[in-house]
Amino acid sequence: MNLFLNLRTHLWANAFRPFFLATSIHALVSILIWILILFSFLKPPSITGLISFHSYEMVFGFARAAILGFLFTAAQNWTKTILIRERSLLVLFSLWVLGRFSWIDIPILSNVAFLSDFVCDTFALYLLAPTLMKKGQEHNRVIVVCYTLFAFAHGLAILSILGILSSMLTLHWIHISIFLVLIFIILIAGRILPFFTTVAVANSSPRRIQRVETLTTYGSFLFIGIESFLFWFPKLQVVAGFFALAFTGSQALRWFLWEPWKSRRTPILWILYLSYFWLVLGLFFYGLSHFGVFPVSLAFHILTVGSIGGFIYGMITRVSLGHTGRIILASKTILFGYICITLAVFARVLFPLFGFANIGYGASAFLWMLSFAVLLFKYWNILIEPRVDSPNK
């Protein structure tokens, strides 16, 4: 009875609650299904290619759930306005859930699910854009631009999967969507990591240089632009490679200016810095992949497992505590989760790099699932129960 009451009363009060729970559950279930398919224990879905199915779900299932949970929570703080709650939150969440059935080989269900998945993006923009585009919110308009591009790439990926556009474009648009998720991380990290460090770490003085921040913002969208046209202009590979390496340099400088080493005694902070380091490293190797000297798949998994997975994990652990009135401190159990998701990156990249691909796939999947099982175990009650400092919130 108490569980039902909590789900009804508190779960739908804030966007981070259902979407962070969904992110964690999806991380477990989707990778379990993926690894069972990969090792031939399950029949793969035939609506799309195996790699496309896996990539699509990790971007538009896992990552997008976390983005929606964070954006609607943060935007309400930025604007001091309630953007979503209860019914509208339930509708948005239901659209996301229905979208998870898009890969099932039942044409009517699949088409409805793909439509629902895209409507989820348009509804999110409908709720976010009017407030974030108002006068006085100029610094937040980039969030709307980024999510609009994300929704556009999502739509193109769906059209490619359904054969309305060339199916050869499916992975291209999913990869562009991965880069857009990374831009969200770049934008959000620039706002929160220096602040978190100043608050949590004594004698720290992270620097946020405006020229570097401006270069980062415009460089991010230029990076997306160059990568978007590579499919049609493969001769741009060298240009794209050099730009990716230059962009890596700007991100490395930014990371260094934040003094990440000072967070080493604060796990709930260093997991975010480590995730940003994976972003820097992943972009570096992705730049090298344009010259054919590093496997592009491994570069993408540094970016996805390491940067996206790690940053989402870290933000869920921090935001959930802070927005439920709890002390922002990682428990020993969650520290174990941080270690597991970090080891998952090493397993996914190093084993295949040295010719032991299947061991890498299995080990990284196990470590990934273990880390999110730990997260669900520790945070389930936190996300469905009332704030500890005010039962009515």
Side-chain angles (χ1 to χ4, degrees):
M1 186 66 180
N2 287 338
L3 174 62
F4 176 78
L5 183 63
N6 283 339
L7 289 174
R8 181 179 178 183
T9 306
H10 306 296
L11 183 63
W12 305 106
N14 307 97
F16 74 90
R17 292 175 178 270
F19 277 112
F20 284 0
L21 271 179
T23 301
S24 304
I25 294 170
H26 187 282
L28 268 171
V29 174
S30 61
I31 292 299
L32 177 60
I33 292 173
W34 164 244
I35 209 69
L36 290 175
I37 291 172
L38 194 63
F39 288 105
S40 302
F41 292 104
L42 281 181
K43 181 182 177 182
S46 56
I47 189 66
T48 185
L50 187 59
I51 301 298
S52 297
F53 153 69
H54 170 59
S55 303
Y56 182 93
E57 276 305 307
M58 296 314 294
V59 175
F60 303 113
F62 168 73
R64 185 176 49 153
I67 289 170
L68 290 172
F70 176 79
L71 283 186
F72 278 101
T73 302
Q76 292 188 170
N77 287 340
W78 298 337
T79 63
K80 308 302 179 184
T81 304
I82 295 177
L83 300 176
I84 191 170
R85 177 173 282 186
E86 296 171 349
R87 289 184 180 180
S88 57
L89 178 54
L90 180 58
V91 169
L92 184 68
F93 184 76
S94 298
L95 290 168
W96 177 87
V97 170
L98 182 54
R100 309 287 51 81
F101 295 92
S102 55
W103 51 272
I104 292 179
D105 191 22
I106 302 174
I108 294 178
L109 175 58
S110 178
N111 290 338
V112 170
F114 272 124
L115 177 62
S116 172
D117 220 23
F118 183 71
V119 171
C120 177
D121 285 334
T122 57
F123 188 49
L125 281 169
Y126 169 79
L127 295 171
L128 280 171
T131 303
L132 295 185
M133 295 299 287
K134 284 182 178 179
K135 185 177 180 180
Q137 293 294 322
E138 288 80 6
H139 61 297
N140 287 324
R141 290 175 183 173
V142 66
I143 300 295
V144 177
V145 172
C146 194
Y147 200 94
T148 300
L149 292 174
F150 181 76
F152 183 66
H154 185 192
L156 292 174
I158 291 173
L159 293 176
S160 300
I161 291 170
L162 296 178
I164 298 171
L165 297 178
S166 171
S167 60
M168 294 177 65
L169 286 164
T170 300
L171 275 178
H172 173 71
W173 293 121
I174 293 175
H175 288 165
I176 295 302
S177 301
I178 289 172
F179 292 134
L180 285 163
V181 173
L182 292 170
I183 290 180
F184 274 117
I185 291 175
I186 288 169
L187 294 173
I188 298 303
R191 297 184 179 202
I192 64 172
L193 287 187
F195 171 72
F196 286 171
T197 304
T198 302
V199 170
V201 181
N203 301 317
S204 63
S205 54
R207 288 179 288 169
R208 193 172 183 273
I209 299 174
Q210 190 55 49
R211 286 186 179 179
V212 175
E213 297 303 308
T214 301
L215 180 64
T216 291
T217 301
Y218 287 106
S220 295
F221 290 107
L222 183 56
F223 174 76
I224 287 291
I226 294 172
E227 293 295 329
S228 296
F229 286 102
L230 275 183
F231 184 86
W232 295 276
F233 301 99
K235 291 183 179 180
L236 286 176
Q237 286 284 348
V238 173
V239 174
F242 279 119
F243 187 83
L245 293 176
F247 189 54
T248 299
S250 69
Q251 297 314 301
L253 172 61
R254 195 180 191 223
W255 184 78
F256 181 81
L257 289 171
W258 293 338
E259 302 180 336
W261 55 88
K262 291 186 177 180
S263 69
R264 63 189 181 278
R265 299 184 186 277
T266 313
I268 207 164
L269 182 56
W270 69 242
I271 186 62
L272 299 175
Y273 276 119
L274 179 59
S275 302
Y276 206 91
F277 172 77
W278 288 126
L279 185 148
V280 173
L281 196 65
L283 284 174
F284 174 73
F285 284 117
Y286 181 73
L288 292 183
S289 75
H290 283 299
F291 301 103
V293 297
F294 192 83
V296 67
S297 175
L298 297 186
F300 267 116
H301 280 88
I302 295 172
L303 292 169
T304 53
V305 181
S307 184
I308 295 175
F311 198 84
I312 285 173
Y313 200 97
M315 287 302 290
I316 288 177
T317 58
R318 186 183 184 91
V319 171
S320 300
L321 293 175
H323 284 269
T324 57
R326 291 170 168 83
I327 297 172
I328 302 175
L329 184 68
S331 66
K332 291 181 179 179
T333 308
I334 290 299
L335 177 58
F336 175 71
Y338 294 161
I339 293 170
C340 285
I341 201 166
T342 301
L343 291 176
V345 189
F346 285 105
R348 183 58 185 82
V349 175
L350 293 181
F351 280 111
L353 189 62
F354 291 101
F356 302 97
N358 284 343
I359 295 175
Y361 301 154
S364 63
F366 173 76
L367 289 163
W368 173 278
M369 289 187 291
L370 181 59
S371 67
F372 279 97
V374 165
L375 184 61
L376 270 173
F377 173 74
K378 290 296 291 184
Y379 276 72
W380 174 271
N381 287 336
I382 291 172
L383 290 168
I384 68 170
E385 291 178 352
R387 289 179 61 104
V388 294
D389 57 354
S390 180
N392 295 321
K393 292 185 180 179

